[in-house]
Amino acid sequence: PGHTGGESEAILGRWMRARGNRAQIVIATKVGSAMGEGPNQRGLGRQHIMAAVEASLRRLQTDYIDLYQAHFDDGSPLEETMRAFDDLVRQGKVRYLGASNYSAWRLVRALWASDTGAYFAGTKFGR
């Protein structure tokens, strides 16, 4: 109660900035949880993912996140989520992707969406 989300990122960002040790740190953070009351302030739709990564980067005071994870499966169209993640990797804002609290079958569907949509082609994720 009383927290709006992102407080840990802000603390970590200040800590790294004071020490100048970003290159020695692996940053992992998640996207999907509510960060406000609006319909586009939660979930794994493109609009929320793109806004959330910018907010995380600002709080963390860095230009990239090492591991960006889908926090939970909210039922968003996997193609939309995978395309947004693909764009973040291509832009250099995210290095690696992950997921937590997903069923095995949804992870397989996400991989299928990635393969059929040619997401991550030509990147370290492409086959």
Side-chain angles (χ1 to χ4, degrees):
H3 296 283
T4 59
E7 287 86 0
S8 297
E9 290 178 346
I11 291 167
L12 182 58
R14 288 191 301 270
W15 182 83
M16 286 187 306
R17 169 75 40 129
R19 285 157 187 77
N21 62 351
R22 172 61 183 103
Q24 288 78 44
I25 303 293
V26 174
I27 296 175
T29 193
K30 298 180 279 188
V31 61
S33 294
M35 298 299 283
E37 296 299 319
N40 291 314
Q41 293 179 305
R42 66 180 43 104
L44 296 172
R46 180 181 182 79
Q47 188 171 354
H48 177 65
I49 290 172
M50 301 312 265
V53 78
E54 293 299 333
S56 288
L57 291 170
R58 217 174 16 261
R59 287 188 296 263
L60 290 162
Q61 300 182 43
T62 187
D63 57 351
Y64 68 95
I65 294 168
D66 297 291
L67 174 61
Y68 202 47
Q69 301 175 85
H71 192 186
F72 54 85
D73 182 8
D74 72 337
S76 290
L78 290 170
E79 293 78 9
E80 179 178 347
T81 301
M82 297 306 290
R83 178 57 194 252
F85 283 159
D86 179 64
D87 288 346
L88 294 177
V89 170
R90 289 175 190 276
Q91 293 168 9
K93 294 178 181 181
V94 171
R95 293 195 170 169
Y96 295 93
L97 298 165
S100 63
N101 304 305
Y102 266 72
S103 63
W105 72 271
R106 278 291 276 186
L107 282 174
V108 169
R109 297 266 321 258
L111 290 172
W112 177 257
S114 175
D115 283 349
T116 59
Y119 304 129
F120 313 110
T123 71
K124 61 185 155 249
F125 296 105
R127 296 175 201 219

